[in-house]
Amino acid sequence: MARKISMKQAINEALDLEMTRDPTVIVMGEDIVGGTGSPGEDDAWGGVLGVTKGLHAKHGDRLMDTPLSESAYIGAAIGAATCGLRPVAELMFIDFMGVCFDQIFNQAAKFRYMFGGKAETPVVIRAMVGAGFRAAAQHSQMLTPIFTHIPGVKVVCPSNAYDAKGLLIQSIRDNDPVIFCEHKNLYGLECDVPAESYAIPFGEANVLRDGDDVTIVSYGLTVHRAMEAAEALAKEKVEAEVIDLRTLSPIDWDTVIDSVERTGRLVVVDEAHPRCSIASDVAAFVGQNAFGALKAGVQMVTAPHVPVPFSPVLEDLYIPNAAAIADAARRTLAPTGTSPRSIAA
Amino acid sequence: MTENPFPLSRDDLLKAYRIMRTIREFEERLHIDFAKGDIPGFVHLYAGEEASAAGIMMHLKDNDRIASTHRGHGHCIAKGVDVHEMMAEIYGRSTGACRGKGGSMHIADLSKGMMGANGILGAGAPLVCGAALAAKVRGDGGVGISFVGDGASNQGTFLESLNLAAVWNLPAIFVVENNGYAESTARDWAVAVDSYIDRASGFGLPGVTVDGTDFFAVYEAAGEIIRRAREGGGPALLECNMVRFYGHFEGDAQTYRAKGEVEAIRASRDCIKIFAERVIEAGVIPRAELEAIDRQVLDLIEDAVRAARGAPLPAPAELLTDVYVAY
Amino acid sequence: MHTERIKPIVMPKWGLSMSEGKITGWLKQPGSTVNVGDDLLEVETDKITNVVEAGDAGTLRRVLAEPGNVYPVKSLIAVLADPDVPDAEVDAFVAGFAVPKGDDEEGGEESSPQYLFADTPAGTLRYAKRGDGNRTVLLVHGFGGDLDNWLFNIDALAEKATVYALDLPGHGQSTKAIADPSLAGLSAALRGFMDTVGIGSAHLVGHSMGGAVSMQTALDAPDRVDSLALIASAGLGREINHAYIQGFVAATGRRDLKPVLEQLFADTGLVSRQLVEDLLKYKRLDGVDGALRALSGALFTNGEQARVLAADVAGTGKPTLVVWGQEDRIIPAAHATALGSGSRTEVIPNAGHMVQMEAAGTVNALLKEHIGK
């Protein structure tokens, strides 16, 4: 039965259920148990934000703390995946992928193709994404587009607890490498989540709100900003359809195209930087495949082309907000010729 | 026949010789055919280094995993990958080990425990930690063996893996195939320590250095390390000092090598010659029997080349398949 | 709370999750006379649009809620009063109206939990219980359904009976394990539920597959069944829309499930985004796919219904009501006459397979009359 739990609890529950169901599921990462080898409490942390708290007591050595050594343990997770385990490796902050990227994009992503379809690499790499944590340039990035660029990995970024649980269970059961992006500012957000196991298929966007006037496409935290914008627009009698992509690779083009063909207007919201982003990807795809349906130029609302700043006043300006999204929607609705040039922030 | 003084049975001695001779002929043939322009891309030949692959792999079973390097043909053959499939792969044919999608630097056969040659230097070491972890979790007594050259021994992935394997006490073995050159750069210039034993002890694991042109030295050292790992004794490092008969890649003019160096090592440090002389001298295997194997191997390689050249190229649709299990 | 001469009309609460409703239109104008059962207005929730019927009689003195606007459940949306009640008194009533405390708070007027769970021999089954009348009614949903299929019926029936609605094994929030996916197996699970919650006998109201389960129960345990009400019921003929069954079982996403669900209603506009999403959430649960495949394999083999119980049920002599939506696209309305003259038969126009939702008022009236007999 369903009850309200946070996204953090939902992720913990998905790991717990899958470890219980399948003895080949192992979990590794820096401080995911916490305190290993230290004189104090065992299971001291359960991850830096406590996402894996309590799992060590239940599943023992199948949860492994690692040295601070991302290349080695992310590679080990990938190697173990080719040898019959289903490892879930926590990279902590996705920003750290810079030190282990080879193992993800040259190894895990390419085994199946390079080896002529004879390899399976069912590894999940969990990592926190996103700004708003006052964590500055190296702990706050939304690096999803870097992974969607690479054939052979799948990229998931849930916006709520229900999706996080179902998508993580699917990620663990999936036979391909999955980059599972968890927005740290959504960890505390609660919604109804069934206690049972369930898997949400990849490539199935969620339509959060119906509307015939403008389509707003997003994923992760900015889905909530898009919903706020849609409520503001509704007061102006503008009904926005809000689409949460949920998975970025594969991506549900059909739902986006169907919606744009009905509304004729598109705003894409992405917490990543504007260049070669999810936003520019969606804009390009719609431009190529639904140009005839468009009544106005596609608007992108993204973070600016700058690193994530530290000072709260600057960071708050950095993150796409509801007002900017609503303004972008209004630009698509302005009579032709009066629309101000979109500023790619 | 006199008594066998070697730690291998007569049959195993013949098997080891056949492995080394197969590697040698495979590489010599590629050297010729590559020069003729028959083979796409570029290849890195293992000729001269055969005793390392054979001496280690003679101890392994299919559930033991190895991760190889860009210079991977020898490891593949010694681990049991089909020679016909390897040759077809190098020719880019659909009958290749990787259906023509991997080529020389990515030959793999997971069913044989061969996790792949690798175009990224040092990348195999973390993967082998994972293979060793899987063996440890399953408790099946398997080991993982990572090969690096002296060049890749400077990679962070390799050094991190030494530590991870030691911390997790994994049945992982790190083999440094030291042929004196990181591409064109001398090992003695690029590696600051004189001995890899020092490097191993810096990470808290035992290290052993052997003459990599002496099959029996490699075999005995590897046997001890592998036995220890299987029994839960943890990881170790094995340095094989060896020689490279050809350049870094085919077409390398090797102007960085000393004049006469290659001729000298071919004359005095050819691991197959050394092996043959030992077993013949000991009276365990007559020369004629080895020569019979030589002829069989030549026929095998000739047949593999003929089959590869006649094999179908990948169909255009193959471009888009095998990216995901399901997408 | 209110005088007998002034009666509030409030935003209804249909099911656990409804917190607010949108007025789509008034069907009565201010000043008009209203009789009990008259259609008053249409309300759209995030799940479905439905008509609100008058529960009291009187003159519609005030219409407070405007079409297009959203109001919380139990908020005052109109006022009925006798014609001779002074305007000032009506206005005072409006001004003084207080929304009753919600169900969530202990001791409220609906203090019992919306959903209960029973550990039965067939596993844990979810159910709802309403009312405390002498008669006992048990509502049995159809293939792929759950107790919320009775959203618009359960409270109406509870006015004069103790009403139970359950999730059959494999459905809703009940166990997903089905030991025996045959009608006999489902009937045994139903009787096990009755044993567990202490129902000796009940008026069984079955929809679709639930109708066949109810009939099977009347045959296997006639003393447990007071009467049968069969709504768009299976088990009365061979034909069934097998493409629907296959489509429902196979669908994994919104885009393939929605057109399947549209076949359930005469008015396909009733299939909202939320209805589709709720069913997807059910279908994604571990075990559901296997349960649905087992049931469809056992009950709807070779493109038709495996069992026809009409002749046997006609012979039991149980009072039987058969209700169908004329535009049923799952099981043809022609099956409504399968029991012959021994049963009452009503075919309702402009309604499809989910007739108890699409024509809830009519169906509720029929059921109340049938159970009251």
Side-chain angles (χ1 to χ4, degrees), chain A residues 11 40 62 66 186 201 258 279 281 318 329:
Chain A
I11 291 166
R62 287 164 63 203
T66 69
L186 291 174
D258 279 2
D281 192 30
Y318 172 93

Side-chain angles (χ1 to χ4, degrees), chain A residues 162 173 197 204-205 207 258, chain C residues 254-255 273 281 284 286:
Chain A
Y162 173 84
R173 296 178 186 178
S197 280
E204 174 90 17
V207 182
D258 279 2
Chain C
R254 177 173 32 81
R255 295 162 60 82
R273 186 176 50 74
K281 283 183 174 173
R284 287 174 191 139
D286 277 7

